Amino acid sequence: MKRRGIFYTGMPVVGRAGGNSAIDLSDIDFTATKLDPRVLYSRPGNLSFIAQNGAIEQAPSNVWPLEYKNGVAVGRHEPEPQRTNPIIDSRVSGSGWRAYQADITGTTTAPDGNTTRLIKKSSATSDGGVYQTRALFGLEFPITLSVYGKSAGVFAVYAENTGAANQITFRNAAEWQCATKTIPNGAANANYNGTVVIYSTSETQLGDAFAGWSVQAETGTFATSPILTSTAGATRAEPIAKIQNPGGQATAIRIHYTDGTYTEIAAVNGGDFDIPKSTRNWSTRHITRVQYSRGF
C-alpha cells in the first residue's frame, strides 16, 4: 500500500499529546544492537537467526535478534507466520533416520556449530542415503522443503513419489548451502507415502561424502527460518510485532527493507502499527529502519 505524506527522518517531534511533553517520531534503526523500546515484540519459544560469526543460533522467547551477513549487521528478519516442521531429528544427528546402502558413522560440523552425520554410499552401483517414513503425513499441499547441504559429489532431498521436478539437488557443494523447493498442489498421488529421503545417485562415487542439516517441510509456498527438532516435530509460533504510535500522533509508518523496497502502513484511530508478516523465503530480506509520518 503506497500513500503520500511527510515522513520525518531522524527528528523528534516536540509537543503535547495525552499528557506527554515530548513525542518521539524519530526513525527507528533496526540495525542497532539494542531494539528500540518503541518496537513491541513477543514470541514464545526459540527463533533461528544468523549471528555475527555466520553460525545459525537460537534466540530465546521474546527476543527479536539482530542478524548479520558476512559479519555485517543487516537488520531484523520480517516476522514469520506460524509453521510446523514434522521432521524428526532435523539436524540429522542420528536418531529418526534410517540408512540404506550407506555408511553414516562419520560426522561433520553443522551450520550451528554442532555435528551432523556424514553420509557415504556403501554400494558402487546403487543409490544410498537416509530416510524417514511417513514423516510428511498431516501436511497439506503445497509443501515447501528446505535443507542445508554440502557434498563431494551429487545428492538430493525429496518427498517420495512427488516427482523428480520436486527434488532439491546439491552438486559439488564444498561449503554449506541452503536450498528450497515447493511441491505444488496436485503433486501428491495415490502412491504418496509421506517419506522424506536424503540420497545420492549413481553420479556420486563410492566414498564421496555428503551431509544434510535442518531438513524442513512445511505447508506453504515459501521456506521460513529453521525449526530445529530432535525426537519429535516442532512448531514455531507466530510473533506479535508492532510499532508504537507515540501519543497517537503518527498517521503512518514506512518500513524499509534490505532489498531497497518499503511498505507504508496507515494508522487506524491513532493505534499502534502491525508489522506485516513475511511472504518470502527466510533470510531473503530484513527490516532496516522505520520512519514515522504525520503528513496524511
Side-chain angles (χ1 to χ4, degrees):
M1 176 173 58
K2 297 290 188 295
R3 295 175 179 268
R4 295 181 178 178
I6 301 172
F7 284 85
Y8 290 80
T9 303
M11 181 185 298
V13 177
V14 180
R16 295 192 63 84
N20 294 323
S21 60
I23 302 300
D24 185 1
L25 296 182
S26 61
D27 288 4
I28 298 175
D29 182 6
F30 269 70
T31 67
T33 302
K34 185 177 180 180
L35 194 61
D36 193 290
R38 291 170 293 172
V39 180
L40 306 177
Y41 182 85
S42 63
R43 182 205 71 252
N46 290 343
L47 177 69
S48 295
F49 73 101
I50 300 175
Q52 188 172 14
N53 63 2
I56 295 178
E57 298 184 0
Q58 300 296 303
S61 295
N62 303 322
V63 172
W64 196 354
L66 177 62
E67 297 204 51
Y68 295 79
K69 286 193 175 181
N70 300 318
V72 177
V74 292
R76 264 81 180 178
H77 195 276
E78 298 174 85
E80 296 178 309
Q82 178 173 300
R83 290 287 180 85
T84 296
N85 181 15
I87 303 295
I88 296 172
D89 181 23
S90 68
R91 297 176 177 87
V92 196
S93 60
S95 62
W97 296 92
R98 298 181 182 180
Y100 72 103
Q101 299 184 137
D103 175 7
I104 58 171
T105 58
T107 61
T108 187
T109 302
D112 66 349
N114 295 309
T115 59
T116 188
R117 295 291 178 180
L118 272 177
I119 306 167
K120 295 181 181 180
K121 286 173 52 175
S122 57
S123 171
T125 59
S126 302
D127 297 343
V130 295
Y131 68 97
Q132 288 187 38
T133 60
R134 303 176 64 84
L136 307 186
F137 269 6
L139 284 184
E140 296 181 359
F141 287 86
I143 294 173
T144 294
L145 297 175
S146 59
V147 64
Y148 279 79
K150 68 176 183 177
S151 173
V154 181
F155 80 99
V157 180
Y158 74 105
E160 198 163 67
N161 298 322
T162 59
N166 296 307
Q167 294 186 2
I168 297 173
T169 301
F170 293 90
R171 185 182 301 272
N172 301 321
E175 303 296 333
W176 286 106
Q177 300 176 9
C178 183
T180 66
K181 180 72 69 171
T182 297
I183 306 170
N185 289 317
N189 55 40
N191 295 319
Y192 174 68
N193 61 9
T195 297
V196 64
V197 184
I198 305 173
Y199 84 113
S200 65
T201 69
S202 58
E203 295 179 70
T204 298
Q205 301 300 309
L206 189 65
D208 282 349
F210 57 99
W213 181 85
S214 183
V215 185
Q216 187 154 307
E218 52 195 306
T219 295
T221 58
F222 62 96
T224 60
S225 57
I227 303 169
L228 300 178
T229 67
S230 53
T231 58
T235 296
R236 185 199 55 250
E238 180 174 295
I240 296 173
K242 296 176 179 287
I243 301 296
Q244 283 185 322
N245 189 350
Q249 295 297 294
T251 56
I253 59 169
R254 180 177 288 175
I255 304 172
H256 293 264
Y257 302 99
T258 47
D259 62 358
T261 63
Y262 62 83
T263 296
E264 293 174 4
I265 309 295
V268 178
N269 298 324
D272 295 335
F273 302 92
D274 290 320
I275 300 177
K277 301 297 186 295
S278 175
T279 59
R280 295 166 172 79
N281 285 338
W282 179 61
S283 203
T284 299
R285 72 177 188 178
H286 297 75
I287 300 172
T288 59
R289 65 189 173 102
V290 171
Q291 290 176 281
Y292 286 100
S293 173
R294 295 179 69 180
F296 296 162

